Structure formats: C-alpha cells, structure tokens
Amino acid sequence: MRHFTRNFGKVLLGAIFISGIGTLAQAKEMPSLPNAIKEKGEIRIGVKCDSPPFGATGTSGEPIGIEVEMAKKIGEFAFGAADKAVLSCVTSESRISSLNSGKVDLILATLGRFPAREEVIDFSNIYFWGTSNVLVPKDSPVQKLSDLENKSLLIVKGGSQIKWLKENIPGLSLLQLNTTADGVQALRQGRADGFVGDGGLIYTLAANYDDLRVVEEGLDLGVNGIGLRKNEPELKAFVNAVLDELRNEGFYQKVIPEFVKEPALAKVMEKGFLEQPPKL
C-alpha cells in the first residue's frame, strides 16, 4: 500500500472523490440490479481457484486470475468497489449446485455453455471460447488424439469434455478426480496416460512442469459464459452489460499479460477473449 504525507491529503481526497463520482456514474449507466442484491450491498461470485490463468490461489491465499479480475470488475460496476464482489472458490463439480442452492449469485469459473447445462441454469453472453487439450508426459508416445484409443485420461469431476471424449475416442477410460492439482499429481505418478482440461489451463500447466507437454490437437470446441440461476433477467442484463464494457475498455489486453507470461499461451488467451468464436 502506498503511503502519502499529510501535505498531499487534500489532493488525494479530491482525486478519490472525482474517481468515486466516475465509478458511480459508470454504475448508474448499467442496467438495474435485482432488489435482493441491491439490499445486500454485495454480489457473491463463485470462481475457480485451481485453474490458472483463469483462477488460482495466490501467495496470500486469495483468489487471483483473469476471471477473478472480471469478478472484481462486476463488483465495481455494481457497487463502485471491487471488494463488493464477495468471491468464493468453487470446484468444477460444485459450481452449479453452489449457484442453485443460493450460496453464490453468479458463477464465473471456466463454465462451459452447452445444452445440458442450459436446462438447469441460465448463461450470460459468451466471454471466452477455446478448445480443450490433453497434457501428457514429455516422453509419451501420444502425438495426436487418435493415439489415446484404449488408453486412460484423468479429468476433473464435472469436466465438460467427458461427453466428447466418450463419443470420439474408442476404448478410452476416464479417471475423475476432485481438483486440477490432483490430476497433475496423478499424471506425474503415472496413474494415467494424460490429463484433459481447458486449453488455457493445460498450456499453463505445461509451462510450469518441464516433464509435461501439450498434445497440440484440440478437442471439444467450447464457449464459456457466466452462470446465473434460471429466470433472473435483470441480473442477466446487468452481467451482459458489464461484459460489453470490459471489451470496450480494453480490459483483457491489460489483464492477460498480468497472468500469462508465455507468448504462445498469451496468443491463445487473447484470441479466446477478443475474437468471435467459430460457428458451432
């Protein structure tokens, strides 16, 4: 935290006042929030804490990542302050149940948008698209997806890739674990032939582990949206407006370099956040 001398107090107070006016004006221009959230004065958002660069646990124990910063911006647009977004870690398996049970108001947690999920929750507009990829040991004979026939893959419980894998790779067996960390540990222990996850996550893991590499061929083109409970049109309109503003103000160009240092991965992330997805 920066420390300012008393001589700068008036200047600082004036700057804060002006900044506050700008933030509040920005918030007033957005669609109205539901009364229940207005009355609480905060918005509860579930984020991933095991899926860098989208969401991870920082050295201080607090969530960090691109989606975490998006969640904070929702707090700013809603109530003028990032800390008005109350963040909690959710797993892939617990995301939807946390939302529908009322523990959180939104899910901003690498949530793939597809028909089966749209039957139980609503989604915002698409904010990211990409493929999933497979992580394998560096000396693995697996070079393309077809090489996984009759082999085994690790996947986080509730992972959106399960249906695609079962339909497209004959004889593949899947071992479902609770977290990404569990999956990486099991892969390095030789408990399966690979670990599958969102492309951004897989490329990040490969950059962090010298003994692992990415199978470049992507699978299961997917799009991510923010999850909402059914029949909350006011909140949906607000969230979609925030997503529009984030693109308009160049948010992603600023935040991606903060969490992505590998040039190849940065290109993948920029494409997914800034370009329109291919026709599905």
Side-chain angles (χ1 to χ4, degrees):
M1 182 181 294
R2 294 180 179 175
H3 298 279
F4 297 89
T5 65
R6 187 175 300 173
N7 292 336
F8 293 111
K10 292 183 179 180
V11 175
L12 176 62
L13 183 59
I16 291 173
F17 179 71
I18 293 170
S19 174
I21 290 175
T23 304
L24 290 174
Q26 198 174 35
K28 287 180 181 177
E29 293 169 3
M30 306 299 285
S32 180
L33 284 164
N35 286 332
I37 292 178
K38 285 182 186 175
E39 290 169 3
K40 286 187 297 186
E42 63 184 26
I43 186 163
R44 301 165 301 162
I45 304 176
V47 297
K48 290 300 288 295
C49 294
D50 64 347
S51 298
F54 297 97
T57 301
T59 55
S60 65
E62 295 295 317
I64 61 170
I66 296 170
E67 288 180 337
V68 172
E69 293 303 310
M70 292 171 65
K72 291 178 181 178
K73 290 294 285 187
I74 291 174
E76 289 183 17
F77 278 106
F79 298 107
D83 61 5
K84 293 299 183 179
V86 178
L87 309 182
S88 58
C89 297
V90 293
T91 65
S92 295
E93 190 178 26
S94 71
R95 290 175 296 192
I96 291 176
S97 60
S98 296
L99 177 67
N100 281 337
S101 67
K103 291 181 180 178
V104 296
D105 302 307
L106 299 171
I107 305 172
L108 184 40
T110 65
L111 188 67
R113 175 176 155 179
F114 49 84
R117 283 185 177 155
E118 289 177 316
E119 291 179 5
V120 293
I121 63 172
D122 282 342
F123 281 87
S124 71
N125 293 337
I126 295 165
Y127 66 82
F128 180 81
W129 66 270
T131 63
S132 294
N133 288 86
V134 175
L135 190 68
V136 297
K138 213 153 214 177
D139 59 358
S140 170
V142 175
Q143 299 296 330
K144 54 188 185 299
L145 294 177
S146 60
D147 294 335
L148 290 167
E149 184 174 342
N150 297 319
K151 296 192 184 300
S152 58
L153 278 184
L154 301 148
I155 189 169
V156 173
K157 289 179 181 177
S160 62
Q161 305 87 358
I162 293 174
K163 184 175 183 292
W164 190 96
L165 291 165
K166 287 182 176 179
E167 291 176 351
N168 290 277
I169 302 183
L172 181 71
S173 62
L174 294 172
L175 175 59
Q176 299 186 46
L177 299 176
N178 290 323
T179 67
T180 296
D182 293 339
V184 172
Q185 181 181 24
L187 178 60
R188 300 181 80 199
Q189 291 172 344
R191 292 172 57 192
D193 297 293
F195 172 71
V196 64
D198 293 332
L201 169 63
I202 294 301
Y203 275 93
T204 300
L205 293 172
N208 290 332
Y209 293 93
D210 293 337
D211 56 333
L212 303 176
R213 64 174 172 82
V214 179
V215 177
E216 295 294 335
E217 184 182 0
L219 62 99
D220 192 26
L221 174 68
V223 296
N224 288 0
I226 297 174
L228 308 94
R229 284 181 289 275
K230 283 286 188 182
N231 303 315
E232 294 189 332
E234 281 184 306
L235 184 55
K236 186 174 182 177
F238 175 83
V239 168
N240 283 335
V242 172
L243 292 177
D244 288 342
E245 285 300 314
L246 294 185
R247 280 191 173 167
N248 292 339
E249 69 181 33
F251 167 82
Y252 298 110
Q253 293 92 322
K254 297 172 187 174
V255 77
I256 289 172
E258 184 178 346
F259 298 103
V260 181
K261 305 305 179 185
E262 291 290 320
L265 176 57
K267 288 182 180 179
V268 171
M269 302 304 292
E270 288 172 3
K271 185 175 183 180
F273 278 107
L274 297 174
E275 296 182 15
Q276 292 297 314
K279 291 183 180 180
L280 299 178

